Structures are given as C-alpha cells and as structure tokens.
Amino acid sequence: MTNSHQQSRNLSAYRGHIVSPIDGSRLNDIRDGLLVVDENGQIVFVGAESEFDKDAANLQDKIIRRLDFGKRLIMPGMVDTHLHLPQVTATGKSGEHLMNWLQRFIFPSEIRCRDAVYARKIAKWFFDEMACNGTTTGVVMTTVHKEATDIAFQIASERGLRVIMGKMMMNANAPPELTEELSASLSASHELCQKWHGADGGRLMYAFTPRFAPTSTSELLKECGKLWQESKGSYLHTHLAESQDEIDFVKGQYPSARSYVDVYHSFGLLGKNSVMAHSIHLDEQDIKLLRETDSSLAHCPSSNFFLKSGVFQYNRILKSGIRFGLGSDVAAGPQMSLFCVMKDANYMQPHDWLGPEELLYRATLGGARALALEARIGSLDAGKEADFIVVDPRRRTGIISDILDRSIDEILSALVFLGDDRIIDATFVRGRQLFSRENQESELVTA
Ligand SMILES: [Zn+2]
C-alpha cells in the first residue's frame, strides 16, 4: 500500500490480518497483510504481502526478522486517555459514589506511594498490566509524591510504554498526607516536566495534573494554568463534571461561576493538549467552550457505570466536533482492557447504538487525535511509529473457533462485545515487543 524510508536497514516484517481504523466508519482491512518496521520502530510498509513482494523488492533483503501471525489480527495499540497508576491495587472496591469512594478507598492507596519501595513495585505492576492489556499509550495520573512520579517515569522508560503522565497536585480538601504546599507542588511539577517531557525520543510526555477543582485552591489552579502554558508542548490532565456531588462542591467553592467548565476556563486550564476526564454533566455553553478552546475529553464508561456518575452525552459530543478518546479510569473502571471499555461505551447509552467501528476508532486513532498524537500513533500507516498489538479473539471462551475466517463485521463485533485482556497475544511499542503470551510457540522475545 505505502512505503517510505527506502534507505532503512534491518527491517522486521509481521504477517497477519491487518485491521486499522481510518475514521469512525472506515478501516483498512487487509488479510494476508504485511507490516514492516525499521530498527527505529518506524513503520515503512503496510499493505498486502503480495503487494510488498511486487512493489518493494528493494526492501526484501533488508528484512532480518519475519514473524507470521497467520490469520491473527495485527491492530494499532490501544490508547487509554485516562487512568491512575497508584489505583491499580484498588479496582473493584464497591459501594460508594465518587466523593465517598475517594475518601474510603482511593486516598489510602495513594498515601502508600510516599514509600519509594512500594511506589516502584506498583509502577512495575501497572506498566506490565498496560502491556498485557494491549494498551500502548496511557494518559496517567500518579500521586502527589514527586519521588514516586519520578520512579514511575523511570519504569515507563525501562518497560517501553508510551505515556503522558504527571504528578497529582492537591492542596485542599484532601487527607493531610496528600495535601501539599502550593509552591512545593508547582516546583516539583515543573522539575518533573523539565526532566521527563520529551524523553526517550518523545515517548514520555508530561501532564500538569491538578486532581480536580475540589482538591485545589484557586491559587493552585491559576498558577498551574500559567505553568502549563509556559511549558511548551506539555499536557494538562484533570477531571471535570464527573458526578453531581462533585459539581455541588465546586458550586460551593465558586458561587459566582457560571459552571464548572467556566472555573477551569477562568484559570487558563482549557486548550489544545488539555485532557478533561469524564465531562458528563455539561450544558450547551460548556460544550461550545470546550470546542472553541480545542480541549479534549476522556470518556470513561466503565467508571461511570461503576460509580453511577451519569451518562456521557456521546452523540452530542461527537456532533460538536470535540476531540475525545476512551479511558479505563482504573480503579473506578474495574479493568484496564479497552476492549471492555468499548463494550461498556455501547452498553452505557440507553438509546443510541455505537457500532464496533466507531468504538475501535475511539480506542485507537480517535484517542490519538484527542492527544494530538495522530501523526505518530493510532493507526498502522507508513511513517508512523509501530505501536501495535496481535489479537486472537479465539482465546476467549464463547467465541466461535472459525471467527477469523468470518467477515470483518463479525470479527469486530466479537472483539468489541466479547474481548478482554485474554485476546491479546503480543504488544509492541515503537517496534519493541513488550509482551508476548506464547514465547515458546512463536519464538517471540519479551523485552
Ligand atoms: Zn480518574
């Protein structure tokens, strides 16, 4: 189909059924396809194997490794636009709405990250979980602890995941162990951004991360907005309008503000590279403002289901043109698999049917667009970085054994409505393999 970088040496070729989104209703569907990746992890060819043999003969002798995945699917890696590293130990803690759930389960799990040994253990677990769930990019909140966040970046760097990550900022209405001095919060965030934003050839990126308005003073939001805007190319990551009790709290903090969105806007927290998790309870003016500022949203249906936070206005947001992706929101979302999140996105809507193609797009290229990373990741195209997964729906019970011989519509439907972590056979980021389910059989190496 396409190829680039004719001068590349030492290529790896992956043969399989390539499925990669173009937009919410179209995708590339190439059986007996070939994905060819150079030693820098850049895709140099995607297309039919026969086409490669015919048109790219000049690349043939540069292939030093060839893996055949047969009928299995080769797809872009999942892009999770919102999740919490320290909460990986706190999934499935039931029985509360947001504000009580935070107090009862989440703050205690975050306090533990002041211990560097624990923080390292949890970070390793978290990034391994990402890899085996097929999630290649994550927009990650850590805790208020600078050292634990630094450790998390080190582990992400070693493990090879792609992250937009940041130290949580909190200076009000939180347990004393998690409440910072404003100046310390700002300087720690600034230093971490200086150290990590753009590291590993741009694979690691920094997000300034005020948890949300309730745990911030107005000074923190204002200074954070300034710092983010001064730190070119960095991200802003926070929660917005998730639950009614949270919104009531913000109303008490800012009685003269028109809405929660306006509070963030007044402190300069909206704009490109600003990722707002949840954003459920929005009115027409809020949506207009988010669109005008080119802010993006992380829709987290599993979490919204779990905490009974409300229903994301999916089609309204879609029509508005606001960029948005899907997020697992672990731990309020009980599992990291974006296949489960896709299914929940459909289940969550009481009236509208969201099709598998739209959902798959949203978990990959749509998420990449929400993060302004679509030139680098989100789909399998020559010139992009090789973040991809190998998927075998037959690993899951209840899926017919000849599913991979069926139509693409049947395959996509099985993936979205029956898929979970078990269907992931291998995960690659920038051409490096981070996870393999079956080392011996396929002679693949886990990095
Ligand atoms: Zn969250």
Side-chain angles (χ1 to χ4, degrees), residues 193-442:
C193 181
Q194 295 282 107
K195 181 172 177 184
W196 291 108
H197 185 69
D200 289 355
R203 211 188 69 242
L204 306 180
M205 293 157 275
Y206 195 79
F208 291 93
T209 311
R211 176 173 224 122
F212 59 170
T215 50
S216 311
T217 60
S218 56
E219 290 78 18
L220 185 143
L221 295 180
K222 187 172 145 206
E223 295 303 320
C224 178
K226 275 195 212 161
L227 198 50
W228 168 53
Q229 302 212 4
E230 285 163 13
S231 307
K232 291 263 173 282
S234 68
Y235 289 80
L236 188 291
H237 182 201
T238 190
H239 297 95
L240 167 68
E242 177 178 0
S243 74
Q244 199 52 54
D245 49 359
E246 169 204 8
I247 290 165
D248 293 343
F249 195 97
V250 176
K251 218 168 254 171
Q253 286 177 298
Y254 301 95
S256 60
R258 197 200 70 82
S259 72
Y260 198 164
V261 175
D262 274 12
V263 171
Y264 283 165
H265 185 49
S266 69
F267 294 121
L269 298 172
L270 301 184
K272 197 180 173 192
N273 284 14
S274 175
V275 183
M276 301 277 143
H278 305 299
S279 308
I280 295 170
H281 307 281
L282 305 176
D283 65 18
E284 204 56 57
Q285 286 191 56
D286 294 330
I287 292 171
K288 193 162 170 275
L289 186 53
L290 289 164
R291 177 70 191 97
E292 281 171 2
T293 54
D294 201 18
S295 309
S296 59
L297 310 184
H299 171 36
C300 309
S302 311
S303 162
N304 302 159
F305 246 156
F306 186 74
L307 295 177
K308 304 195 183 300
S309 301
V311 178
F312 182 74
Q313 304 170 72
Y314 199 104
N315 277 337
R316 201 171 170 199
I317 298 294
L318 189 65
K319 283 192 194 111
S320 77
I322 293 174
R323 294 173 294 123
F324 71 102
L326 295 180
S328 67
D329 193 22
V330 160
Q335 72 281 305
M336 214 184 267
S337 170
L338 280 187
F339 289 95
C340 299
V341 174
M342 286 184 238
K343 175 194 69 185
D344 287 347
N346 180 302
Y347 284 8
M348 188 86 205
Q349 296 299 319
H351 306 297
D352 299 321
W353 182 264
L354 308 179
E357 286 187 358
E358 160 63 19
L359 292 167
L360 181 66
Y361 165 77
R362 209 47 70 182
T364 53
L365 187 56
R369 286 192 172 134
L371 306 176
L373 293 176
E374 70 274 18
R376 290 164 61 190
I377 56 163
S379 60
L380 302 177
D381 292 297
K384 287 198 181 186
E385 296 176 31
D387 290 10
F388 66 98
I389 53 178
V390 179
V391 175
D392 188 348
R394 296 168 302 185
R395 303 258 179 232
R396 176 80 161 73
T397 60
I399 294 185
I400 49 175
S401 59
D402 66 345
I403 184 69
L404 293 175
D405 297 314
R406 301 291 185 103
S407 71
I408 187 64
D409 289 346
E410 280 185 86
I411 294 173
L412 291 183
S413 207
L415 292 181
V416 167
F417 293 109
L418 299 166
D420 60 22
D421 59 307
R422 287 169 286 186
I423 67 172
I424 307 298
D425 271 2
T427 302
F428 294 77
V429 173
R430 209 185 258 167
R432 175 182 164 195
Q433 186 163 4
L434 310 186
F435 168 73
S436 168
R437 189 169 299 283
E438 43 176 22
N439 278 324
Q440 299 88 348
E441 274 177 59
S442 59

Side-chain angles (χ1 to χ4, degrees), residues 73-254:
L73 310 170
I74 299 177
M75 302 168 62
M78 299 286 119
V79 177
D80 190 332
T81 56
H82 177 68
L83 75 171
H84 296 255
L85 183 150
Q87 296 181 21
V88 73
T89 57
T91 51
K93 307 276 191 188
S94 73
E96 304 278 358
H97 286 85
L98 174 68
M99 299 303 252
N100 288 337
W101 175 81
L102 287 172
Q103 296 287 349
R104 189 169 157 202
F105 301 116
I106 297 308
F107 290 152
S109 73
E110 294 190 1
I111 288 169
R112 294 188 68 192
C113 288
R114 63 187 166 187
D115 171 11
V117 174
Y118 176 80
R120 184 171 298 277
K121 189 172 115 187
I122 290 304
K124 284 182 179 170
W125 187 18
F126 176 85
F127 290 115
D128 287 346
E129 283 277 307
M130 265 182 75
C132 71
N133 275 283
T135 300
T136 50
T137 296
V139 185
V140 180
M141 289 189 173
T142 61
T143 59
V144 295
H145 308 100
K146 184 184 176 192
E147 189 183 9
T149 307
D150 193 56
I151 288 168
F153 271 111
Q154 287 168 29
I155 306 292
S157 174
E158 286 164 25
R159 289 288 204 266
L161 276 307
R162 190 182 299 276
V163 294
I164 295 171
M165 187 158 66
K167 187 194 91 63
M168 188 82 88
M169 303 169 84
M170 290 202 278
N171 72 338
N173 306 312
E177 300 93 323
L178 296 175
T179 303
E180 310 169 279
E181 290 290 333
L182 175 60
S183 60
S185 180
L186 293 166
S187 62
S189 300
H190 178 65
E191 284 166 31
L192 286 164
C193 181
Q194 295 282 107
K195 181 172 177 184
W196 291 108
H197 185 69
D200 289 355
R203 211 188 69 242
L204 306 180
M205 293 157 275
Y206 195 79
F208 291 93
T209 311
R211 176 173 224 122
F212 59 170
T215 50
S216 311
T217 60
S218 56
E219 290 78 18
L220 185 143
L221 295 180
K222 187 172 145 206
E223 295 303 320
C224 178
K226 275 195 212 161
L227 198 50
W228 168 53
Q229 302 212 4
E230 285 163 13
S231 307
K232 291 263 173 282
S234 68
Y235 289 80
L236 188 291
H237 182 201
T238 190
H239 297 95
L240 167 68
E242 177 178 0
S243 74
Q244 199 52 54
D245 49 359
E246 169 204 8
I247 290 165
D248 293 343
F249 195 97
V250 176
K251 218 168 254 171
Q253 286 177 298
Y254 301 95

